[in-house]
Amino acid sequence: MKVAVLLETSLPPSRDLVPTRPLLSQGPPSPAEGGGDALTPRAITLRPGADLDGFRNAARSLVAQGVPPEAVTWSVTDAPGLFGADADHAPAPPLALPKPVAALIPQVIPHRDPERYGLLYALIWRVCHGERHLMEVGSDPLIHRLHRMAKAIGRDLHKMHAFLRFRRAEDSGGEHYVAWFEPDHHILEAAAPFFVSRFRGMRWSILTPDGSAHWDTETLTFGPPGDRAALPEGDGFEAGWQTYYESTFNPARTNLKAMRAEMPKKYWHNMPETAAIPALVRAAAGRTEAMIEREPTLPTRREPARAVAAMADQDPKTLDALNAIIRRTEPLVPGATQAVLGEGPVGATIAFVGEQPGDQEDRQGRPFVGPAGQLLSRAMAEAGIDRGASYLTNAVKHFKFEERGKRRIHQKPTAGEVSHYRWWLDRELEFVAPKLVVALGATAVLALTGKAVPITRARGPFRFERHDNRFQGFITVHPSYLLRLPDEAKEEAYAAFVDDLRRVEALGQELAA
């Protein structure tokens, strides 16, 4: 989820883009510049809250007409419509603003200060009328005030991320989590994507006095203000969380001033653990004295051999047991819907190892079912390889992506992330015990060898030897590489990929004989 960008940025605008009337003493704009009297008072009416789009459109129109900040009155209303009665509805082209200005505007828009729109328009006006480097002047009163407002929004977002607590409820759709929060500013729309990324798999609602946010595991929507009375009573999770908080409370480090600074009391009534704080504080002195008076004790001696034996006994004994561990493990990079497990029979002659699941694999929970997987299936069929008799898996078991609008764009896993999942891949291949392991792309090679190996030089038969795993292997490109090629190069590259798979099929038959 992303907040819409307010104003497009580019290189410093040409004379055709920047208003050519920096001085009000030059008189009203000509008809070519928008016509009318620029000094005529204008009334701009925006919707309540953080009206980023409304301010953007109004600012464009006002700058295009040459209307200075002192001629504009900004107000907020629930009535439909963007502009007040005195404003011009004519659309205006985007403004080319320096990146620091464009970045600051959405950070200030959620502030409750009724002057925020006027201050931001004054900033835009000055930048468009010759002060392109105004953001670099930290001593300017306008810049100083806007930066303080942006910092207040940042603090408010941090508090909401840290102090919001969900309670479990039941409705017609099943399990539903509800939270109540009272932000200092209009930050709900800016804060909601954080909770989408953290709690993507559960249905939830966040209620505030200004509005509400609702997530149904697929779509984020915003609604009218909520009512704290709609919050369900405390649940079993809250009781468990309070018990955990009490058990981790250190009486020797009690510092009320620091506690109030980090967790202001205004948030306490929505946080279950704070109910225990008064009693914990009252008992802190006595508990500390008891800790001091208690005789020191030597640490319990542990038996290393027994501990090692216990750890070994916890290792999965079958592929199903390993998959159960993978399935219930949280993704290293948050966001994935589910772990995508390997697919195919134990004892398969050929195992294919890819990079990581894609968007469709994450949604369906199966490997190689997206566009790249469909291309792989087609190439396998042409090469005479039975996909159903092969084992297909990935080096990384969770989908790593970046959201752009409604699309989830694949992001390449880092070497550290590949290393994190390597133990699972090693055990998986031990259980499957293929005769031949095919590495599809550089990430698969890194996972199987522990080092970066250039695909162009190593393409073909390869021996994978690392720790206890020793497999006859074959290195080729990942099918997603073929999808990224220009059309004129795809046919030749695809033919080479199919030829690789024919060699894989022949080598697999030779090893199985």
Side-chain angles (χ1 to χ4, degrees):
M1 303 300 302
K2 288 188 178 179
V3 177
V5 175
L6 172 66
L7 299 167
E8 287 77 5
T9 59
S10 68
L11 295 175
S14 66
R15 291 183 179 179
D16 294 332
L17 294 176
V18 179
T20 58
R21 301 172 38 76
L23 299 177
L24 299 180
S25 60
Q26 292 178 350
S30 66
E33 296 173 305
D37 185 358
L39 297 179
T40 301
R42 308 298 175 95
I44 304 299
T45 304
L46 303 179
R47 67 177 176 83
D51 193 353
L52 190 65
D53 292 334
F55 175 74
R56 174 194 61 196
N57 296 333
R60 289 175 177 176
S61 179
L62 292 169
V63 171
Q65 297 173 64
V67 181
E70 58 267 27
V72 184
T73 300
W74 301 86
S75 60
V76 173
T77 181
D78 289 319
L82 173 63
F83 298 108
D86 296 333
D88 190 347
H89 288 266
L95 299 175
L97 297 177
K99 288 184 178 179
V101 176
L104 180 66
I105 291 170
Q107 295 176 26
V108 173
I109 287 289
H111 205 281
R112 285 195 187 273
D113 191 330
E115 297 182 9
R116 65 190 183 279
Y117 294 119
L119 295 172
L120 288 172
Y121 183 61
L123 170 66
I124 293 171
W125 177 265
R126 290 174 62 181
V127 168
C128 289
H129 286 72
E131 299 184 66
R132 297 291 296 179
H133 302 288
L134 180 59
M135 288 290 293
E136 299 175 13
V137 186
S139 60
D140 185 277
L142 175 62
I143 300 303
H144 178 70
R145 184 173 178 184
L146 289 174
H147 274 309
R148 290 188 62 184
M149 294 169 73
K151 287 182 179 179
I153 296 302
R155 286 194 299 270
D156 206 24
L157 284 169
H158 171 72
K159 299 300 184 187
M160 186 169 184
H161 294 164
F163 301 143
L164 183 140
R165 299 288 185 266
F166 285 103
R167 288 182 177 177
R168 184 178 178 277
E170 293 284 343
D171 58 19
S172 57
E175 198 172 57
H176 183 212
Y177 290 83
V178 185
W180 170 261
F181 195 78
E182 301 168 30
D184 291 333
H185 303 284
H186 304 293
I187 62 168
L188 180 61
E189 292 187 18
F194 170 87
F195 296 101
V196 169
S197 66
R198 289 296 185 273
F199 308 106
R200 185 176 298 275
M202 73 183 200
R203 295 189 309 121
W204 52 257
S205 296
I206 299 175
L207 312 180
T208 77
D210 300 314
S212 55
H214 308 276
W215 172 251
D216 63 1
T217 73
E218 293 183 358
T219 305
L220 177 65
T221 57
F222 296 94
D227 182 358
R228 193 175 189 279
L231 199 67
E233 296 296 329
D235 53 21
F237 178 81
E238 280 195 359
W241 172 246
Q242 181 172 332
T243 301
Y244 171 78
Y245 183 83
E246 292 173 355
S247 67
T248 58
F249 184 84
N250 187 344
R253 294 183 177 272
T254 303
N255 186 326
L256 296 180
K257 185 177 180 180
M259 289 173 63
R260 285 191 290 265
E262 293 298 322
M263 189 167 59
K265 293 196 70 172
K266 65 168 288 187
Y267 302 108
W268 286 23
H269 63 286
N270 294 321
M271 301 171 63
E273 63 269 33
T274 56
I277 290 179
L280 291 172
V281 170
R282 286 193 299 269
R287 290 179 60 191
T288 302
E289 290 178 4
M291 289 169 61
I292 295 173
E293 294 175 358
R294 190 178 304 132
E295 291 186 7
T297 57
L298 293 174
T300 304
R301 292 182 59 86
R302 298 187 180 276
E303 188 67 41
R306 292 178 60 188
V308 171
M311 290 174 61
D313 191 55
Q314 294 175 4
D315 273 358
K317 302 298 188 295
T318 65
L319 181 60
D320 287 342
L322 175 67
N323 286 338
I325 295 173
I326 299 174
R327 192 178 291 111
R328 64 173 178 261
T329 302
E330 289 293 322
L332 180 61
V333 179
T337 304
Q338 58 187 316
V340 178
L341 308 175
E343 186 174 88
V346 172
T349 300
I350 304 173
F352 290 84
V353 179
E355 180 192 78
Q356 71 167 356
D359 178 74
Q360 289 302 313
E361 287 80 4
D362 178 66
R363 296 181 188 278
Q364 298 183 38
R366 297 183 57 205
F368 293 98
V369 293
Q374 295 170 18
L375 185 65
L376 175 62
S377 296
R378 175 183 148 202
M380 291 173 69
E382 291 185 26
I385 299 176
D386 182 0
R387 171 166 172 156
S390 304
Y391 189 83
L392 288 85
T393 190
N394 283 294
V396 173
K397 307 303 182 185
H398 293 96
F399 180 33
K400 178 184 177 183
F401 62 90
E402 176 186 2
E403 281 194 300
R404 297 180 188 171
K406 294 185 177 180
R407 298 182 62 200
R408 302 194 299 174
I409 306 301
H410 162 277
Q411 282 192 313
K412 184 180 180 67
T414 65
E417 290 159 0
V418 173
S419 177
H420 173 82
Y421 287 91
R422 185 176 293 148
W423 182 85
W424 286 348
L425 179 63
D426 287 347
R427 298 306 310 273
E428 185 178 16
L429 293 177
E430 284 181 19
F431 288 128
V432 176
K435 298 293 189 298
L436 179 65
V437 176
V438 181
L440 300 171
T443 300
V445 175
L446 176 62
L448 291 164
T449 64
K451 58 185 178 181
V453 177
I455 300 297
T456 52
R457 292 211 308 259
R459 190 168 182 172
F462 192 93
R463 181 72 178 173
F464 296 124
E465 294 193 14
R466 196 175 62 78
H467 302 307
D468 295 332
N469 285 349
R470 292 176 174 81
F471 294 107
Q472 182 61 44
F474 194 98
I475 295 176
T476 185
V477 297
H478 194 284
S480 62
Y481 162 76
L482 306 177
L483 297 176
R484 297 193 297 268
L485 292 174
D487 292 340
E488 58 270 18
K490 279 184 179 179
E491 185 174 348
E492 182 180 352
Y494 178 74
F497 182 58
V498 173
D499 185 59
D500 280 350
L501 296 188
R502 290 195 178 101
R503 296 170 65 192
V504 165
E505 166 63 9
L507 184 56
Q509 289 186 4
E510 178 183 331
L511 293 171

